[in-house]
Each structure stands twice: as structure tokens, then as C-alpha cells.
Amino acid sequence: MNILLVNCSPVRNGATAEIMKMVQFYLEEQSMAVQHIRSICIDDYNINFCKGCRSCHKTAKCIQNDDVIKIIGEYEWANIIISVSPSYWADVPGQFKVFIDRCTPWCNTHEPHAAISSGKKGYSIALRTGPNMKECNRIIESIEHFYGHMEILSMGSLGLCSVEYKEELEDRKTEIKEFCSKIRKDMYIDAEHNSNNI
């Protein structure tokens, strides 16, 4: 089972990155089903803005040549995608939103469209500095909307409020570990299902 952790934040060493480290640790801790885990940060890629030309609606390809195709390659490699996003004005950071916009060639709302392999599953984790879960839910909805159009099945989400610095995650380890336990359980169910179908 290949797992891709996506840091939707441009900050490589903040609370978002710390959550990714914790998720990787908890998934590897007790899971025989994990074969490989990769982590990427959205800010490590050169992603141009969508020009809104809609040429991809006819060709299933973007006219621009940048790193979007590299990220899509990571999505193709993965069986499970876990997106971890902080709140930037009550939504995903702009860098990740630009990537979502540029995934229009793979969007299932027009024909022809490109596609990543079927059967992928997605999870999302949102964090914010304030106490209101509504903002986390909005971030999760943005990610799950993206998953839906990429035909990645949304399997679960976690919202973490009142987190600004990574040091504040010490008291949230139980929540994160329980969320990872759900992911592991889903993986075991899939592995068992697949072995029964062989």
C-alpha cells in the first residue's frame, strides 16, 4: 500500500509538517499493510496559475509546462492520499488552490478528460488557530470536492482547532493517533478484501 502525504501549506517545518510526521509515525508503527510513504510539500513545486482558457476541455491537456505533472505522478503512485491543510482565510492555502485549479484536465466534469488510476482513497486533515470547527469543515469540504472530481474516494477527515504552532500538537496526539487507527483499519479491510478476491 503506497501512501502519499501532501503538505498543502507553503511552510515546510510548521504545525502542518509536524502533523504529517506524526501521521507517518503512527501509520508505520503498527501497520504491516504500509509498503511506502512519501511526503511532498506543495511549495516545493513550480505551479503556474490556471489561465481559464478551457483548451484542456478539448484536449485533456494543459497548455502550460510546469511541475503539475510531477505532482500528478505522485498521486498516480499512491493508493492512499492524505492531504493536510492549514487555514488561510478559512480555506486551503493559495498554493494548493492553484494546484487544484490546474487539475482541470483530470476533472471528471468534461469529456475528454485525463484520469489517474481508479480505486484511490483520500483522507483530509485541517488545522486552524481559532476554536471554531466550522472553518476546519470548510477546508475539508474543499479537499473532498477536489477528491470527488479526481475520482478519489473520500474516506475520512480530522479537524484540529486551536493549533498555531507545532508545540501545541503535544496535547492532540491522541486525536491524531485515533485518526491514523481508522486509516489502518480501512487498509486492513482493503487488504483482506483483495486477498479474498485472488
Side-chain angles (χ1 to χ4, degrees):
M1 195 69 70
N2 295 334
I3 298 175
L4 179 66
L5 291 168
V6 181
N7 183 347
C8 304
S9 166
V11 181
R12 297 174 183 84
N13 59 356
T16 306
E18 189 65 22
I19 290 170
M20 291 177 59
K21 290 178 187 175
M22 294 167 72
V23 169
Q24 181 164 350
F25 175 78
Y26 290 134
L27 288 177
E28 290 178 337
E29 186 180 34
Q30 297 177 349
S31 182
M32 299 296 291
V34 174
Q35 293 174 338
H36 302 285
I37 298 181
R38 290 181 185 170
S39 295
I40 63 171
C41 178
I42 199 67
D43 203 50
D44 288 338
Y45 297 88
N46 176 36
I47 307 170
N48 298 324
F49 292 109
C50 174
K51 296 183 180 298
C53 67
R54 298 192 181 190
S55 62
C56 63
H57 288 209
K58 299 175 182 177
T59 64
K61 293 180 181 178
C62 185
I63 61 171
Q64 301 190 71
N65 183 22
D66 58 12
D67 289 342
V68 168
I69 199 70
K70 292 181 182 178
I71 305 174
I72 291 295
E74 299 287 358
Y75 276 67
E76 180 61 40
W77 169 85
N79 305 108
I80 293 172
I81 296 107
I82 304 172
S83 301
V84 187
S85 176
S87 172
Y88 279 28
W89 287 89
D91 213 326
V92 297
Q95 291 87 342
F96 189 65
K97 177 60 168 64
V98 170
F99 167 66
I100 291 175
D101 291 344
R102 287 291 309 287
C103 284
T104 303
W106 293 270
C107 179
N108 63 0
T109 57
H110 58 83
E111 291 295 346
H113 70 271
I116 56 175
S117 298
S118 62
K120 299 182 186 299
K121 296 184 176 178
Y123 297 84
S124 49
I125 301 174
L127 62 147
R128 66 173 307 245
T129 59
N132 192 337
M133 186 58 74
K134 184 177 180 181
E135 196 167 307
C136 282
N137 290 338
R138 180 172 173 178
I139 295 163
I140 290 164
E141 286 172 2
S142 291
I143 295 169
E144 291 185 344
H145 181 82
F146 166 64
Y147 283 165
H149 284 302
M150 296 290 282
E151 299 188 352
I152 299 168
L153 181 63
S154 293
M155 296 293 293
S157 62
L158 174 66
L160 298 168
C161 293
S162 303
V163 175
E164 184 167 4
Y165 301 106
K166 57 186 175 183
E167 292 78 14
E168 294 165 341
L169 291 166
E170 189 64 30
D171 296 332
R172 315 304 289 273
K173 285 183 175 179
T174 300
E175 294 169 79
I176 296 168
K177 187 172 184 177
E178 287 175 355
F179 184 65
C180 291
S181 295
K182 177 195 175 348
I183 297 173
R184 285 201 309 264
K185 183 178 178 182
D186 291 345
M187 289 167 57
Y188 284 130
I189 292 171
D190 283 349
E192 187 174 314
H193 175 76
N194 291 338
S195 64
N196 289 337
N197 287 336
I198 293 176

